[in-house]
Structures are given as C-alpha cells and as structure tokens.
Amino acid sequence: MNTSSSEQKWQRRKEDRPAEIMTAGLRIFADRGFAATRLEDVAEAAGVSKATIYLYFASKAELFAAIVRDIAVPRFDEIEKLLDAYDGPSADLLSFVMDRLRDIATTTQLPALAKIILAESHNFPEIRAFYRDHIILRGFGNLSRILHRGIEHGEFRPCNVEAAVQSIIFPILMNALARNTFGELPQLDPDGFFAAHAEFVMRGLAANREA
Amino acid sequence: MNTSSSEQKWQRRKEDRPAEIMTAGLRIFADRGFAATRLEDVAEAAGVSKATIYLYFASKAELFAAIVRDIAVPRFDEIEKLLDAYDGPSADLLSFVMDRLRDIATTTQLPALAKIILAESHNFPEIRAFYRDHIILRGFGNLSRILHRGIEHGEFRPCNVEAAVQSIIFPILMNALARNTFGELPQLDPDGFFAAHAEFVMRGLAANREA
DNA sequence: GTCTATATAACGATAGAC
DNA sequence: GTCTATCGTTATATAGAC
C-alpha cells in the first residue's frame, strides 16, 4: 500500500483524521449495521490503524453517534434558524420543512442509520438514548412548533399536535426505510409520494373554512 | 417439565407441535432478532429437540415466515372478506380497517417481527421476499381497494392512491415500531395517537364539498 | 531533542466450532 | 462443555513535526 517512492509509514494529519474515519464508518455502518461492522475494517478504509480511531472517538458507539450527529445537527440547526426568523404563512413554512425532510431522507444516509437504531439499539442502549434525545425529540419539537404556530394563527385546525407530528413525519421516514429495505418497489417511488403526502398533510391540517 | 406421574420422556403430539414451536419461536425471535435466535433455544422453550423443529419447518427462515404468516394471514383474510361483502360508506369501511390495523399493531407481535425484517433482511433475502409479497403488497392492495372505491363513489377526493396508502399505514406501523424501540415516550402514547391519526386521514381524503 | 500522532501488539470478553 | 478465533479496547513503542 505504500507509494513507491516514499518509505514513510504514516503522516500526522490530526485535522483530517476524524472526518476520514467518520466517512469510512458511515459507509460500513450503513452497509452492515452496527454489530457486524468491525472497527478494523473502518480503520483500513480510513487508512489508519484501529488504535487511531480511539484517539478521536471513545468507543464504537461514540463513533456511531458522532456520524449521526454530523449528518443531523447541521440540518436541524438550519431548520431551527429558519423557524426563529420566519414570519409568513404557516403552511408555507411547513411545506418548506417537509421539503428539507425529503432531501434528508433521499440524499443522506440518515434513513440507513435510523434503521440501525431500530434494529440494534436493543443491544446498545447508548445509541438509543442519543438518537431519542437528539434526533427524535428535537425533530418532533420543531414540527410541533410549526403546528402550534399555525393553530394559534388560525391557519391550521386545532388538533392533537403530538399525533399530527407523527402523521406527518412517519410516512416520510418509513418510505425511506422501506425503499432502503425493499429496493425500488414502484409503489414507493419518492417523486410521486412526497408531493402527494404534502397535499394530504395540508388537507389534514386545514382549518375549517366556515362562513 | 414432566408431570410427576408419567415416566414418558416424550409424547406424540403431532397436532400440537407446530403451534408450540411457533409460539416459542415468536417470543424468542421478537426478543433477540433473527440472527441471534438459536433454534436450540426455540427447541428448549418448546420442549422439543432441535431435530423436531426440522420435522415441521424446512429452515429457520421458513419457521420465521410461518410465524409471520400465522399472525398476518387470518387478519388479512378477515379484512378481505369484509371488503368483498361491504356495501356502506367508504369512510366507515376505512375507519373499521384502520381500527383493525391498530389492534394488530398494539396487540400482536407483528411490529416486532416487522422490525426484524427491516433490520436483518439485508442478510436474509428469503424473509424479505416473503414479507414484501405477502404482507406489504397485500396490505397496500387492500387499502388501495378501499381508496379507489371511495374515489369512484365520490366520497374521497381523487388522489395518488399509492401515496395515500403510505400516508395512512406508515404512521400506524412506525408508531408501533417506535414504541417497541424507545419505550413509552409520552408522545407515542397510542390512545391519543390513533384517534387523532384517523381524523387526520379522513380530512386528508375528504372530497371537496362544493356548491 | 522534545512532544505527540500513530502503529504495533497484547489483553480480555464473548461467541462459535467441534 | 471445552477450545479457539475474533473483535473491542488498551498499553507501549516509534516515527514525524518543530
């Protein structure tokens, strides 16, 4: 594996190591799941030794959490920044956020990681607690804010907000999980699905138009 | 485990064995997942030898499929029988079917088994194919029938039926999966959730009432 | 020459084989 | 039931940057 001209066994690249390890870890975790992923394979893919992983991450579970955090946190931050600043119709705000969720579900590996949580967190309580507190509750909270706002403004009908949050998010998540698991069943085609689900949601939330 | 008066080490109970094995298997599969379940433990819990399992089931995957089938098929049959016979408002029919889905999600181990499919079917394609063809596509098909019926009768608005099916089913399934994984987060409380989701769905499907 | 990022090698638990 | 291989984790040696 050495380049021909150099006899160097390794280089100091303190800045880049964590990102390289996380990139390698993401690919292998998403492919094989948590338990089946060997840190030695992650190390090899990242071009470091197994021990080097432990310089930057306290444990396998911490590495996994860091990977999830790296994907999720910037997106949540962006969404929350918008929520704080926004001052238009709640339906538009909800549409925008649902579009972002679609992007996350279709362009990142977060669904594959969510699958790992569902599948294996029974054996690994640390990763479950992290995902519950930093992903689920945070995501629920953000959507909940939008719905409460819309209800207060009379744009959405009063309803069980915690339940509505699930009616909105779970199809998006589960569609991604199902595609991840069953491949491209025509029923699961994301293009048609997301537009239709957004329409469905808007009608489900619409305030009664009365005279 | 033997009764005190009998010295028989075993009895011929050809009729009961499969059910006993499946009951034991259900508990252990739901608890540990597919790969981690050892047929030896299933045999012990069922009070038979490992070889006896193979008398009735061709493989571990076949046993798993039989357990899923045993839970799902009678319920599908019941629902489909109703669909064939029913002749009232589509909204009532959909309500009834959603109630049945809620019962299945809250009173059976099917969500735990669904979790296994999501989690492990990557490694075990046989169980994925079975679940896709006999559970997902069948369930999708049934709901799809109800929606098409309601649209034809003018009771539901015309919409992307395959997408609406997902907007309806996935929250029910995912709520059960999330409770299974994260325990009793108050947000996931099924009592409040199912009623609210049903209301949400009815509004999402409602035909435009126009003059 | 000193400091430290990194590799090598060893440890201990656990699971799978025979 | 015992033995063995594997893998997460940790201790120690060494190489690279300044």
Side-chain angles (χ1 to χ4, degrees):
Chain A
M1 292 297 167
N2 281 339
T3 54
S4 54
S5 59
S6 170
E7 301 217 340
Q8 263 186 289
K9 293 210 179 82
W10 50 271
Q11 288 190 332
R12 296 187 167 213
R13 301 225 320 284
K14 190 180 165 61
E15 313 299 317
D16 300 329
R17 294 299 191 205
E20 292 170 3
I21 293 166
M22 286 164 67
T23 299
L26 171 59
R27 201 180 64 241
I28 302 179
F29 277 130
D31 195 45
R32 303 191 204 159
F34 187 79
T37 291
R38 292 177 309 173
L39 250 26
E40 182 147 0
D41 292 339
V42 176
E44 187 188 339
V48 300
S49 78
K50 222 174 12 165
T52 298
I53 296 177
Y54 281 87
L55 286 178
Y56 299 102
F57 304 97
S59 68
K60 192 181 182 182
E62 277 293 316
L63 171 60
F64 184 85
I67 291 168
V68 175
R69 190 186 295 117
D70 188 57
I71 295 179
V73 165
R75 272 119 180 152
F76 276 128
D77 287 346
E78 181 209 358
I79 288 172
E80 285 164 17
K81 195 173 156 191
L82 180 76
L83 290 196
D84 291 336
Y86 187 81
D87 189 35
S90 295
D92 292 350
L93 179 58
L94 179 58
S95 276
F96 179 83
V97 170
M98 287 179 69
D99 280 349
R100 299 296 298 119
L101 294 178
R102 182 201 58 202
D103 292 342
I104 295 170
T106 54
T107 67
T108 77
Q109 294 273 36
L110 207 58
L113 300 179
K115 197 160 128 173
I116 292 176
I117 312 285
L118 283 178
E120 304 190 63
S121 65
H122 186 244
N123 308 319
F124 306 96
E126 325 84 278
I127 66 180
R128 175 177 51 200
F130 172 80
Y131 204 83
R132 183 191 58 213
D133 297 337
H134 293 84
I135 308 292
I136 299 195
L137 291 182
R138 194 172 173 189
F140 275 32
N142 286 336
L143 257 194
S144 174
R145 253 178 91 185
I146 300 176
L147 298 187
H148 278 119
R149 179 186 188 277
I151 292 169
E152 278 168 24
H153 293 195
E155 298 160 287
F156 298 148
R157 70 184 170 90
C159 64
N160 180 334
V161 167
E162 295 303 338
V165 164
Q166 295 174 66
S167 299
I168 295 169
I169 291 184
F170 283 164
I172 297 172
L173 174 59
M174 194 71 216
N175 175 272
L177 290 179
R179 269 183 290 121
N180 188 294
T181 301
F182 296 105
E184 295 300 329
L185 281 181
Q187 286 89 345
L188 299 174
D189 170 59
D191 289 336
F193 168 71
F194 283 111
H197 180 60
E199 168 82 12
F200 192 92
V201 163
M202 291 307 165
R203 287 172 175 264
L205 290 175
N208 295 317
R209 304 193 205 92
E210 302 190 1
Chain B
M1 292 297 167
N2 281 338
T3 55
S4 55
S5 58
S6 170
E7 302 216 343
Q8 273 185 287
K9 292 213 179 77
W10 52 269
Q11 292 186 333
R12 285 178 171 256
R13 301 223 317 286
K14 190 179 167 62
E15 316 299 319
D16 302 329
R17 290 301 190 210
E20 291 168 2
I21 293 166
M22 286 163 67
T23 300
L26 171 59
R27 200 179 67 241
I28 301 180
F29 276 130
D31 195 46
R32 302 189 204 162
F34 186 79
T37 290
R38 293 176 309 175
L39 285 188
E40 183 148 0
D41 293 338
V42 176
E44 187 188 338
V48 301
S49 77
K50 213 164 34 162
T52 301
I53 295 179
Y54 280 93
L55 197 58
Y56 297 105
F57 304 96
S59 67
K60 191 178 176 181
E62 276 293 317
L63 171 61
F64 183 86
I67 291 169
V68 175
R69 190 185 296 118
D70 187 59
I71 295 180
V73 166
R75 273 122 179 147
F76 276 128
D77 287 346
E78 181 207 359
I79 288 172
E80 284 164 16
K81 196 172 155 192
L82 180 77
L83 290 195
D84 291 336
Y86 187 81
D87 190 34
S90 295
D92 292 349
L93 179 57
L94 179 58
S95 275
F96 179 82
V97 170
M98 287 179 69
D99 280 349
R100 299 295 300 118
L101 293 178
R102 180 200 59 202
D103 292 341
I104 295 170
T106 54
T107 68
T108 77
Q109 293 274 37
L110 207 58
L113 300 179
K115 197 160 129 172
I116 292 176
I117 313 285
L118 282 179
E120 305 191 61
S121 64
H122 186 245
N123 307 318
F124 304 97
E126 324 84 279
I127 65 179
R128 174 176 53 200
F130 172 80
Y131 204 83
R132 184 191 58 214
D133 297 336
H134 293 85
I135 308 290
I136 299 196
L137 291 182
R138 193 171 172 189
F140 274 34
N142 286 336
L143 257 193
S144 173
R145 252 178 90 184
I146 300 176
L147 297 187
H148 277 120
R149 178 185 189 277
I151 292 168
E152 279 169 24
H153 293 196
E155 299 162 287
F156 298 148
R157 70 183 170 90
C159 64
N160 178 334
V161 167
E162 296 302 339
V165 164
Q166 296 173 66
S167 299
I168 295 169
I169 293 184
F170 282 163
I172 297 172
L173 173 59
M174 195 70 217
N175 174 271
L177 289 179
R179 268 183 291 120
N180 188 294
T181 301
F182 296 106
E184 294 302 328
L185 278 182
Q187 286 90 344
L188 299 174
D189 170 59
D191 289 336
F193 168 71
F194 283 111
H197 179 60
E199 167 82 11
F200 193 92
V201 164
M202 290 309 164
R203 288 172 175 262
L205 290 175
N208 295 316
R209 304 193 205 92
E210 302 192 1

